[in-house]
Amino acid sequence: MGITTKKFGKTYKGEEATLYILENKNGMKAVFSDFGAVLVQLWVPDRDGKLEDVVLGFDTLAEYEKNPTYFGSFIGRCGNRIAGAKFTINGQEYRVENNEKENCLHGGSVSYDKYMYEAETFVEEGAVSVEFSRLSPDMEQGFPGNLDITVTYTLTDENELAIEYLTVSDRDTIVNLTNHSYFNLAGHNSGSVLGQEGMIDADAFTATDKKMIPTGELTDVIGTPMDFRVRKPLSEGIESDYEAIRLGGGYDHNYALNVDGEDAQFVAELYDKKSGRLMEVYTDLPGVQIYSGNFLEAEVGKQGIVYRKRQGICFETQIYPDAINHENFPSPIVKKGQEYKTTTIYKFM
């Protein structure tokens, strides 16, 4: 158990990047870079103790500097979509980058996974952590407020990977942070994830228009292919002629979770029968974006493996997409001087 570091090369700006390798007593390892605060590798034992890297990603820093698919990415200042790339706070309109047609996706083309972070490590009984921090200056990406950001990744001896986000702004602003890792519990190099099984504790999802912008309505999952209240194969319903499935090209939807927002609660799971690996997801956030890698197109990743459509699945815990423009959604506005603090845990068994 412990933390080691390894050089990861230089960015195109000449910045020295480092890999932080966290290992617990069971041999499970999580590897992060201070460039982008990204999750690079996640080695998890199967039922026989054999370790496999279960997240899609790259081998080199240069590839993470591009990373159009957001492998392992720390996403901010506002994850998911903002309609029309504009919003209003306190009567003032702000315009952000329209990097997905006329909408803003994940804060713009330069999300929080494209910056260098200060790093600090901690070793405690039963847990090892790396903390990444930086100041996101006022109007970076078009968002108001100097935002102090800290994201802490903790690996415990219970095979939990906890992600804690903490921010404070000097102006009222939007904050909606998430992690965009693509999971494949059979191993990043094992092909399609559709044979694995998923479960989501949600009775509804946010309906969208053709541009994947929420309409403001919540749609009941009962009697639809969107129903994951009982664990089922990811392949079940993913090619159905259901409107939401057609619009997303598969699963690419925000689920309205059955949570009270007080503490991190169990909200979802992913299971691979072949390896016996089970991942449970816990969060205090109101939503989770389930994305089944519908638009992966021959992306060359680790070890030269070519990642294709649906070879990984994301569980992006979040505030609802475009929440700033829907009064009936949980608000992403964080007031001046107010702490934004949230936790998501991925637990492996």
Side-chain angles (χ1 to χ4, degrees):
M1 178 181 178
I3 301 173
T4 56
T5 61
K6 181 180 178 181
K7 290 183 179 181
F8 198 35
K10 289 186 179 181
T11 69
Y12 74 95
K13 294 180 180 178
E15 302 158 313
E16 293 276 1
T18 301
L19 291 177
Y20 292 80
I21 304 159
L22 280 56
E23 184 172 0
N24 70 9
K25 69 176 184 180
N26 307 312
M28 181 175 166
K29 292 190 293 186
V31 181
F32 304 90
S33 172
D34 55 4
F35 174 79
V38 296
L39 174 59
V40 177
Q41 300 172 21
L42 186 61
W43 294 84
V44 178
D46 66 5
R47 63 165 62 88
D48 299 317
K50 181 184 177 183
L51 293 169
E52 291 285 354
D53 183 2
V54 300
V55 291
L56 277 56
F58 302 111
D59 289 325
T60 69
L61 176 62
E63 290 168 305
Y64 280 103
E65 289 187 277
K66 299 174 183 176
N67 197 7
T69 48
Y70 302 101
F71 289 149
S73 291
F74 172 36
I75 299 295
R77 181 174 304 191
C78 183
N80 219 302
R81 295 171 174 88
I82 299 176
K86 60 183 179 180
F87 58 91
T88 299
I89 298 178
N90 300 330
Q92 181 174 344
E93 184 178 271
Y94 297 91
R95 291 186 174 270
V96 288
E97 183 185 357
N98 56 342
N99 63 316
E100 190 195 52
K101 299 177 183 178
E102 67 266 31
N103 305 313
C104 181
L105 176 65
H106 295 327
S109 56
V110 181
S111 193
Y112 280 2
D113 63 339
K114 299 299 190 294
Y115 296 94
M116 287 294 302
Y117 290 78
E118 296 290 329
E120 189 172 358
T121 60
F122 305 89
V123 178
E124 301 174 351
E125 186 175 355
V128 287
S129 304
V130 59
E131 175 187 284
F132 297 114
S133 59
R134 68 178 287 265
L135 174 68
S136 175
D138 182 40
M139 300 310 297
E140 182 176 77
Q141 304 170 306
F143 294 93
N146 293 296
L147 189 72
D148 279 309
I149 307 163
T150 300
V151 54
T152 303
Y153 299 101
T154 299
L155 180 63
T156 74
D157 283 343
E158 283 69 49
N159 286 2
E160 298 168 320
L161 176 60
I163 308 176
E164 298 173 281
Y165 304 104
L166 175 63
T167 72
V168 179
S169 175
D170 62 0
R171 295 175 65 188
D172 292 1
T173 191
I174 292 178
V175 181
N176 187 19
L177 308 178
T178 193
N179 181 273
H180 206 294
S181 290
Y182 292 69
F183 296 97
N184 187 325
L185 296 187
H188 79 95
N189 56 355
S190 64
S192 175
V193 76
L194 293 186
Q196 296 171 36
E197 300 175 2
M199 175 269 171
I200 309 164
D201 186 11
D203 300 324
F205 66 95
T206 50
T208 70
D209 62 19
K210 293 180 180 179
K211 297 176 183 177
M212 300 303 290
I213 296 297
T215 62
E217 299 175 319
L218 296 181
T219 300
D220 199 314
V221 300
I222 296 175
T224 78
M226 307 295 290
D227 190 352
F228 278 91
R229 292 172 302 159
V230 176
R231 195 169 77 194
K232 67 178 184 179
L234 299 176
S235 59
E236 191 173 316
I238 200 168
E239 299 289 353
S240 68
D241 193 30
Y242 183 68
E243 183 181 22
I245 296 291
R246 292 199 310 270
L247 291 175
Y251 298 113
D252 189 9
H253 305 85
N254 173 71
Y255 281 80
L257 297 170
N258 297 324
V259 294
D260 59 23
E262 293 300 316
D263 297 301
Q265 298 172 232
F266 170 72
V267 297
E269 67 182 20
L270 181 66
Y271 175 64
D272 177 46
K273 186 180 297 185
K274 184 176 179 180
S275 67
R277 293 187 184 92
L278 172 69
M279 179 180 79
E280 295 181 339
V281 184
Y282 298 76
T283 192
D284 50 15
L285 287 164
V288 61
Q289 186 84 9
I290 303 299
Y291 173 52
S292 52
N294 310 317
F295 304 107
L296 287 179
E297 295 181 1
E299 189 74 41
V300 180
K302 301 171 189 174
Q303 304 168 325
I305 299 298
V306 178
Y307 301 132
R308 301 187 186 277
K309 185 177 180 179
R310 297 172 184 163
Q311 289 191 204
I313 185 166
C314 304
F315 290 78
E316 305 163 63
T317 57
Q318 61 180 3
I319 299 170
Y320 299 173
D322 197 35
I324 187 63
N325 293 313
H326 298 276
E327 291 184 357
N328 60 316
F329 284 0
S331 176
I333 294 177
V334 178
K335 296 292 187 179
K336 173 183 176 180
Q338 176 186 346
E339 280 191 349
Y340 169 93
K341 189 175 184 180
T342 182
T343 301
T344 292
I345 301 167
Y346 301 97
K347 183 173 182 177
F348 296 86
M349 290 174 280

